[in-house]
Amino acid sequence: MKIEEADVLVIGSGGAGLRAAIEIHDSGVDVLVVGKCAKRDAHTILATGGINASLGNMDSQDSWQLHAADTIKDGGHINDTDAVLELCKNAPYAVRELEKWGTSFHKEKNGKISQRFFGAATYRRACFVGDVTGKAILNTLVDQAEKRKINFRSEVYIFSLLHANGKVNGALGLDIRNGKFVIFHAKKVILATGGHSRMFARSSSRFWENNGDGISLAYNLGARFMDMEMFQFHPTGMVYPSEAEGVLVTEAVRGEGGILTNTKGERFMDKYDKERMELSARDIVARAIYNEVQEGRGTTHGGVWLDISHKPKSYILKRLPKMYDQFKKFVGIDISKEKMEVAPTAHYSMGGIYTRQATGETSVPGLFAIGEVTSGVHGANRLGGNSLAEIVVFGRIIGKNVARQSKKDSFIPIDDNLIKKEVGKVIAITKQSGKNPIDLKKEIQKVMWKDCGVVREGKKMNQALSKIDRLRRYNLHTGNNLKMNEKLIAALDVRNMFPTCEMILRSALFRKESRGAHYRSDYPYTKREWKNNVVCLPENNKIKVSTRPVTPVPKYVSRHFKDKNPSHHLLE
Ligand SMILES: Cc1cc2nc3c(=O)[nH]c(=O)nc-3n(C[C@H](O)[C@H](O)[C@H](O)COP(=O)(O)OP(=O)(O)OC[C@H]3O[C@@H](n4cnc5c(N)ncnc54)[C@H](O)[C@@H]3O)c2cc1C
């Protein structure tokens, strides 16, 4: 087997992984980035609307303290306070750096970066590149990585972390294209593997990503996790055809005047938020749509109608070009003439691996994490635009820290027996006969969507735990080919999904209240005594669930909690 060596191994080639790799390289440390997707095709490219930074270009009253207050308010007051302060203080620098490196942010006539409103933001704070902000940022980071000749391996699926003497010292990968196993040997390993929205049947990510790989890799080494129950459901995703199910229908449609109606023709948002109507908070609109469908006022595809056809076609083409093309391509309708069918879709993982944000350290020695795979900074709900800010801010800070630490370390020899064992497990999958893993993946996603989605209830979640446990017992049939075998990849995905789903369910059952994106019909109120984080720790094949107190918020931030937010709710 081929061995590739680097001081630091970064698993994940999205924005978080790349920004960290650049910083590690610039600190004089050898770094290697591995991604299971193609080089410029990480999930970060899906991000549309913008990146938050309190530049104050449009509203000079804005400040990083206000940004922090908005983040904590939206996060249901259980955010990691230190992480929020770091994020908001450093976001302006991160955006200016991206601009310097070539991201062509939209500019005002005075030459300053333009900024727009996002949901629950007090001022215009989101910097953007049309509706392709994530793609523009990722391309900038890839360009910078290439300029520095940073080593990069794409389409390699990491399926196991290596460890020796109690420390992580590498990873094992399967090269998807040639079916060969690869050993990565490193002093330090960073997980930047993104979120886990594909636990749910409807998701705004693509079907081959967001499978909880990083969660499972860390789980297998006994890492600590936080707030796994916190999952953001975006109110509007497409509902059909099946290949488009869950694809995001941007909040900008409602921002531009889109109206939601049920099959009785009623504009139902007046029952849920009379004042803000369609522009209410994301979780309120998602639950309203869910409720309409549950009570029999939904379409045959389980959605409601979203209508922007009262606006002129020229306006729609100018303001919502991506949406126009999306519905033309998938459904064959012209949204300037017909209504769109929409329903909530799983969008963002606020929970994940517990890290000390300023250092990226997980509870496992030698293992670090950044980006959507982590927890803490967004608390119980993510403010739109904060995720892109998070990946570049913490990519830089954590990259610097890991580089510094790796300089003091030496390589720990690889444990050959561990390699044999882990590779043997993958080969064993290819020798089984049983269920098609692609079908099993869909069954897991259906259980999670139905029993632990927008509205949750204890009895259903307990049933879901039993169902997941039953699904876990299936043998799988993948065929014994290691090369370009989509069933084998699905089998590895499924293996990663089980611990991820179990932790979501156990945490959601444990939190007996509703807060932020986590809504329980049997505990519909937010309770003061639950202003805590929920922690999961794998121990002896069981998951131990407990709470952790939240760090107090400094006065210079908390004094803004009572400020009244404007009712603008635009974009992701
Ligand atoms: C439709 C949509 C719109 C969005 N819009 C916005 C927005 O406007 N503003 C905003 O702030 N946020 C937005 N977000 C959220 C934001 O895009 C993500 O949170 C962010 O890009 C995550 O970056 P990341 O680097 O942590 O992970 P990702 O970009 O998901 O990258 C993860 C990387 O890990 C790799 N990987 C995963 N598992 C393995 C494995 N086993 N082996 C090897 N490699 C692996 C993947 O291939 C990928 O390269 C949006 C999200 C979606 C879905």
Side-chain angles (χ1 to χ4, degrees):
M1 265 184 260
K2 198 172 166 198
I3 301 186
E4 300 203 8
E5 208 167 74
D7 290 333
V8 181
L9 172 68
V10 178
I11 305 173
S13 52
L18 284 170
R19 183 62 194 86
I22 291 168
E23 198 62 25
I24 293 164
H25 174 275
D26 290 356
S27 307
V29 170
D30 179 33
V31 57
L32 168 64
V33 182
V34 184
K36 68 176 179 183
C37 54
K39 201 172 192 178
R40 289 181 191 262
D41 196 37
H43 173 271
T44 295
I45 63 163
L46 297 184
T48 48
I51 171 168
N52 288 341
S54 57
L55 300 174
N57 288 352
M58 315 295 286
D59 302 303
S60 58
Q61 311 91 309
D62 201 13
S63 66
W64 73 261
Q65 292 88 341
L66 268 167
H67 183 187
D70 286 345
T71 301
I72 294 170
K73 267 198 283 184
D74 203 50
H77 298 267
I78 58 161
N79 314 57
D80 175 336
T81 308
D82 295 336
V84 173
L85 302 184
E86 284 291 318
L87 172 79
C88 302
K89 252 189 243 175
N90 288 289
Y93 174 85
V95 165
R96 289 196 190 99
E97 181 182 69
L98 284 169
E99 186 194 19
K100 194 175 81 194
W101 282 351
T103 307
S104 49
F105 288 109
H106 188 83
K107 299 272 175 56
E108 288 298 304
K109 285 203 179 89
N110 61 9
K112 289 189 175 171
I113 293 176
S114 186
Q115 298 191 272
R116 59 184 169 201
F117 272 116
F118 258 24
T122 307
Y123 293 112
R124 285 171 287 184
R125 193 176 289 143
C127 313
F128 57 95
V129 184
D131 56 3
V132 289
T133 311
K135 192 170 183 173
I137 291 177
L138 193 80
N139 278 331
T140 302
L141 295 173
V142 173
D143 291 346
Q144 290 296 317
E146 283 182 345
K147 202 171 131 194
R148 290 164 171 80
K149 299 196 170 36
I150 289 176
N151 278 333
F152 201 103
R153 292 284 256 114
S154 54
E155 293 173 73
V156 173
Y157 194 122
I158 299 292
F159 59 87
S160 186
L161 292 176
L162 295 176
H163 52 94
N165 302 348
K167 280 188 184 165
V168 173
N169 65 340
L172 281 174
L174 173 69
D175 188 320
I176 298 168
R177 285 165 306 178
N178 64 20
K180 292 198 170 133
F181 291 106
V182 193
I183 301 165
F184 295 99
H185 190 199
K187 293 179 189 168
K188 303 277 179 210
V189 175
I190 302 180
L191 287 173
T193 45
H196 45 271
S197 64
R198 272 289 155 195
M199 296 308 109
F200 300 93
R202 256 185 214 149
S203 156
S204 62
S205 83
R206 298 171 295 186
F207 70 89
W208 64 89
E209 53 198 357
N210 271 26
N211 289 302
D213 299 10
I215 300 287
S216 165
L217 290 168
Y219 178 92
N220 292 337
L221 297 190
R224 186 182 298 163
F225 297 84
M226 200 166 83
D227 299 334
M228 286 296 288
E229 73 283 16
M230 292 305 176
F231 207 91
Q232 185 172 72
F233 296 96
H234 194 287
T236 54
M238 294 180 76
V239 286
Y240 83 100
S242 57
E243 67 270 24
E245 201 177 344
V247 170
L248 199 73
V249 176
T250 170
E251 212 156 305
V253 176
R254 285 173 288 130
E256 298 292 355
I259 288 166
L260 286 166
T261 51
N262 59 25
T263 45
K264 289 188 154 181
E266 294 158 342
R267 192 174 171 188
F268 56 84
M269 275 313 298
D270 65 355
K271 281 188 288 187
Y272 304 92
D273 187 344
K274 219 176 179 57
E275 202 183 320
R276 294 183 293 179
M277 298 291 284
E278 281 82 3
L279 299 182
S280 183
R282 211 173 260 187
D283 53 322
I284 295 174
V285 184
R287 281 197 295 277
I289 296 175
Y290 174 91
N291 209 34
E292 290 301 304
V293 175
Q294 288 298 307
E295 290 178 4
R297 295 181 293 276
T299 63
T300 42
H301 294 110
V304 294
W305 300 111
L306 174 61
D307 192 6
I308 190 76
S309 64
H310 49 281
K311 294 275 180 190
K313 184 168 181 168
S314 55
Y315 182 88
I316 291 171
L317 286 174
K318 197 160 153 234
R319 309 290 287 231
L320 302 163
K322 200 169 162 191
M323 286 304 106
Y324 186 87
D325 291 346
Q326 192 169 303
F327 276 88
K328 259 262 151 43
K329 178 180 155 201
F330 286 118
V331 195
I333 67 159
D334 176 346
I335 64 167
S336 70
K337 297 197 178 85
E338 290 173 71
K339 293 183 270 198
M340 293 163 260
E341 216 173 323
V342 295
T345 180
H347 187 52
Y348 188 84
S349 334
M350 275 83 66
I353 302 173
Y354 167 80
T355 56
R356 284 175 56 215
Q357 282 280 3
T359 64
E361 279 165 30
T362 69
S363 58
V364 178
L367 184 65
F368 296 76
I370 343 165
E372 197 175 333
V373 73
T374 66
S375 60
V377 68
H378 307 293
N381 214 351
R382 176 185 66 106
L383 207 62
N386 263 0
S387 172
L388 289 177
E390 173 194 11
I391 60 180
V392 281
V393 164
F394 290 111
R396 181 175 67 82
I397 294 174
I398 290 165
K400 199 181 264 318
N401 175 50
V402 175
R404 195 181 326 113
Q405 289 204 29
S406 78
K407 282 181 186 167
K408 293 186 252 158
D409 277 358
S410 44
F411 283 95
I412 302 171
I414 290 173
D415 176 352
D416 288 338
N417 288 330
L418 180 62
I419 293 176
K420 270 188 211 141
K421 193 172 125 200
E422 293 302 311
V423 168
K425 283 187 202 162
V426 175
I427 291 176
I429 297 175
T430 66
K431 306 264 187 258
Q432 292 170 8
S433 55
K435 206 173 170 73
N436 180 342
I438 298 172
D439 295 339
L440 183 60
K441 199 169 164 179
K442 287 184 191 153
E443 281 185 46
I444 299 169
Q445 291 167 334
K446 271 191 202 147
V447 171
M448 291 301 286
W449 181 250
K450 222 169 132 265
D451 296 341
C452 194
V454 181
V455 173
R456 298 161 171 183
E457 197 230 316
K459 198 171 148 203
K460 277 190 166 180
M461 288 192 285
N462 272 314
Q463 284 167 357
L465 270 175
S466 312
K467 288 183 205 165
I468 295 288
D469 199 40
R470 187 168 46 76
L471 296 176
R472 204 195 285 257
R473 289 162 210 251
Y474 277 108
N475 276 342
L476 299 173
H477 177 75
T478 65
N480 62 7
N481 184 14
L482 291 171
K483 188 173 150 185
M484 302 284 280
N485 182 346
E486 62 167 355
K487 284 191 188 158
L488 176 59
I489 297 302
L492 295 177
D493 289 349
V494 162
R495 207 168 70 152
N496 293 331
M497 289 167 81
F498 286 121
T500 312
C501 291
E502 191 178 341
M503 285 196 285
I504 294 174
L505 284 164
R506 293 208 181 277
S507 305
L509 273 164
F510 190 78
R511 187 180 282 283
K512 293 189 174 47
E513 65 155 357
S514 293
R515 183 183 294 269
H518 169 73
Y519 183 82
R520 284 189 63 161
S521 55
D522 47 354
Y523 295 99
Y525 302 107
T526 303
K527 294 186 186 154
R528 195 188 293 251
E529 65 269 27
W530 276 100
K531 199 180 145 196
N532 285 316
N533 298 115
V534 170
V535 173
C536 281
L537 193 65
E539 252 180 29
N540 306 325
N541 288 329
K542 287 221 162 85
I543 295 167
K544 199 174 143 205
V545 190
S546 57
T547 57
R548 177 182 179 270
V550 177
T551 328
V553 178
K555 262 250 152 35
Y556 57 82
V557 170
S558 63
R559 72 189 172 90
H560 295 297
F561 285 162
K562 290 214 163 66
D563 293 1
K564 195 169 158 37
N565 278 354
S567 58
H568 301 276
H569 268 277
L570 285 175
L571 304 171
E572 280 66 49

